[in-house]
Amino acid sequence: MTESHPPSTSSEPAEAGGTSGLSVLDPPGFPDPAVPTGQPDGRAPGELPGGGEGAGRSAGAPGAPDGASPAASAGGVQDRLAGRLSDFTSLHEHTERLARARGLSATLDAVLASGTALLGADRALLVTALPGGGPSQPIGLGLDRASLGSLETVPPDQSLLARLLRAHDRPAELQSHDLTGDPAIGARLRELAGHLGLGGCYGLPLATEEDGPLAAALWFWDGPAVPTERQRELARRYSEVAAPLLAKQLDAERVRRTTEALRRGLLPDHLPQPAGLRLAARLVPAGLDRSCGSDWYDAIPLPDGTVGLTVGSVSGDGPGAGPASAPGAAAAMGRVRAALRAYAVLEGEDPVSVLGDLELLLKTTEPARTATAVYAWVEPEGRRITLAGAGHCPPVLVTRYGAEFVETSLSAPLGVLSCWEAPGVEFTAERGDTLVLYTEGLAHRFGPTLHAGQANLRRAAADAPRDVRIDPDRLCAHLVAVAAEHDAGGPGPAAVLGRDTPGTGPATDDLTLLAARFE
């Protein structure tokens, strides 16, 4: 194996070889495309080493290679220029493809695919550096899950990826003609290479001066092989472009994970299960880069043994709000939900008063934001329900006969009018009925318009199999799955998870629902 390090700044010459059998090389510059790389000094096959002025030139053609005419020399220059132009064109195409990648997963896939194409390799493996050091779970190209799992069993002291992720003494590149017979490779890696059919190998770190090592990539050939110097240089230059783009994607991923933890921390970690009532909920947030609000759900045990159920959504252009600002919207949602819990404890059996107090607080403390909400006061023993909505989708009551809307009076969202007010609705459910509260995000997944989506949602609840309708958790899962199928033009579950879809584009609303079944 050849392990190449960046040029040393020390005045002492670099040492080659060593007990590990690795040689230290300085990465060469961009090679001349017309020069074959079959000999160590870059000479063409059959060319003798020359020295001194005029060596290797003919007397009759000054400035031209030995035995070559001026016309042949000019043709060689054109070939070299054409080759170099082809290299830069290929590199430009791959870096443009990388720049168009959206999200960390797409960026990593692009790095694997483009590196494989530039090197002429057959398979590839990549890991990112974890915050505490060490590699993350690997992703592969041409390697199945079992193969990736096997490669994870390589001890750290034998791992090529671990070498490329070193904070210090990190090689600029790694290269092996044949992993199965390379004495510088550990026994476990040689064994796996033979088992998986891995021959030649070439590896690069993806690192920046500011962030250090970000990721490490290995490319494999199915037999003994090494990339040419032209291929190696193209791969190195590509990695120099990919590293800062990857750094941005990793930063965005860390922000996304932090925000997801914040949002889920602001929501119940478990739902109460009072006697006579079974509860279940789902929340699928929209992506950070396109979210325009933040949803909540809650089930609030009240002092008299009743329960307050609520779902809602905060939106608006307050500080830190708007598209691509989920952290600000999530923080506002947390404040609104906390206030609603307090109002529910104080006057929970009067949903109109609860939402009226919440509207006053929103206008006072979040003047640039609005919210839609539905709040239901539930008495499990008598199955009595009183609810009110503020610009929100009508709940669905699933019964043994089908499903129907609980029609609430038309009302504006909270924070829109100078004084919000709307009458409440009272009804009694039957034993076995399930009340489903949801946000617009779910309805929008069911159809091209809000009205069509609500109708399709009600129909999906009514058509659910009986064993699904009697279990609120399974009913929630069923509605989320059917929403994916209804997402216009969408490829199924990807749309529900907020990914891009051909028909409707990126999802900008969270998906939230809360189901309560009366036992």
Side-chain angles (χ1 to χ4, degrees):
M1 165 162 281
T2 299
E3 181 174 336
S4 176
H5 288 267
S8 174
T9 57
S10 170
S11 59
E12 297 181 3
E15 228 179 74
T19 57
S20 67
L22 302 179
S23 58
V24 180
L25 305 173
D26 287 343
F30 202 96
D32 188 333
V35 177
T37 58
Q39 300 191 37
D41 59 0
R43 291 179 287 108
E47 181 183 345
L48 298 176
E53 184 177 355
R57 301 180 184 272
S58 66
D66 190 15
S69 66
S73 177
V77 171
Q78 290 180 345
D79 289 342
R80 289 195 297 273
L81 291 175
R84 180 161 296 189
L85 178 60
S86 174
D87 288 343
F88 280 115
T89 299
S90 177
L91 186 62
H92 176 71
E93 291 174 352
H94 285 285
T95 53
E96 276 213 331
R97 189 178 308 162
L98 177 67
R100 291 194 299 268
R102 298 186 60 179
L104 178 61
S105 178
T107 299
L108 297 177
D109 289 343
V111 170
L112 285 177
S114 291
T116 302
L118 292 171
L119 290 165
D122 300 305
R123 290 179 274 181
L125 175 69
L126 185 147
V127 295
T128 56
L130 295 174
S136 66
Q137 188 173 2
I139 62 172
L141 178 67
L143 294 166
D144 58 23
R145 184 174 300 177
S147 300
L148 293 175
S150 299
L151 291 169
E152 284 189 279
T153 65
V154 176
D157 60 336
Q158 299 181 25
S159 172
L160 304 182
L161 294 169
R163 296 190 200 182
L164 294 170
L165 290 176
R166 290 174 185 163
H168 305 287
D169 194 30
R170 181 175 62 251
E173 60 181 1
L174 292 173
Q175 179 175 295
S176 177
H177 177 262
D178 186 4
L179 290 174
T180 59
D182 194 329
I185 301 298
R188 176 58 178 164
L189 184 54
R190 288 200 306 270
E191 176 189 354
L192 286 175
H195 176 70
L196 299 176
L198 304 178
C201 173
Y202 180 72
L204 284 174
L206 283 87
T208 65
E209 185 175 349
E210 298 81 7
D211 303 289
L214 301 166
L218 295 174
W219 289 273
F220 303 103
W221 286 259
D222 291 339
V226 292
T228 66
E229 179 51 39
R230 288 176 65 185
Q231 292 171 326
R232 292 168 55 198
E233 182 62 24
L234 285 172
R236 285 194 296 265
R237 290 181 177 265
Y238 178 82
S239 69
E240 291 172 0
V241 176
L245 293 176
L246 179 59
K248 293 181 180 179
Q249 294 293 349
L250 287 170
D251 284 341
E253 180 68 10
R254 281 190 287 270
V255 172
R256 186 191 71 80
R257 291 182 181 275
T258 301
T259 302
E260 290 306 314
L262 166 67
R263 297 178 74 178
R264 296 196 179 276
L266 293 171
L267 294 171
D269 55 357
H270 70 279
L271 293 173
Q273 299 296 336
L277 198 64
R278 291 175 58 195
L279 301 173
R282 290 291 188 279
L283 171 64
V284 181
L288 269 182
D289 58 338
R290 42 192 182 253
S291 177
C292 59
S294 188
D295 288 4
W296 80 79
Y297 68 87
D298 208 350
I300 310 159
L302 301 178
D304 59 358
T306 58
V307 180
L309 304 179
T310 177
V311 299
S313 178
V314 174
S315 59
D317 296 322
S325 60
M333 177 272 290
R335 294 190 292 269
V336 170
R337 173 178 166 263
L340 190 148
R341 289 178 68 90
Y343 296 143
V345 172
L346 292 174
E347 45 193 342
E349 65 181 47
D350 185 354
V352 173
S353 295
V354 170
L355 293 183
D357 291 344
L358 189 64
E359 196 264 350
L360 180 61
L361 178 77
L362 192 70
K363 287 173 58 179
T364 304
T365 62
E366 310 278 351
R369 300 185 193 272
T370 61
T372 64
V374 62
Y375 174 80
W377 174 80
V378 177
E379 184 187 13
E381 184 177 351
R383 300 185 298 280
R384 291 195 300 125
I385 303 168
T386 304
L387 62 82
H392 206 79
C393 299
V396 173
L397 186 65
V398 183
T399 70
R400 70 186 68 182
Y401 307 108
E404 58 187 26
F405 290 117
V406 178
E407 294 294 346
T408 57
S409 59
L410 294 176
S411 60
L414 303 176
V416 173
L417 302 179
S418 58
C419 180
W420 178 88
E421 188 174 354
V425 176
E426 297 183 19
F427 63 97
T428 300
E430 298 292 333
R431 193 180 304 275
D433 290 354
T434 300
L435 180 67
V436 178
L437 311 179
Y438 59 96
T439 57
E440 286 188 8
L442 179 62
H444 282 306
R445 302 312 203 277
F446 268 95
T449 66
L450 182 60
H451 180 74
Q454 290 173 351
N456 289 333
L457 168 62
R458 184 201 62 78
R459 191 176 300 111
D463 294 342
R466 181 181 180 279
D467 59 334
V468 171
R469 284 187 287 130
I470 64 176
D471 185 335
D473 190 69
R474 293 185 63 185
L475 180 60
C476 287
H478 173 76
L479 293 176
V480 168
V482 177
E485 300 172 3
H486 276 277
D487 196 356
V496 173
L497 296 177
R499 300 173 187 158
D500 295 345
T501 64
T504 60
T508 58
D509 289 334
D510 296 345
L511 179 158
T512 307
L513 71 160
L514 175 65
R517 173 180 167 81
F518 294 92
E519 298 293 318

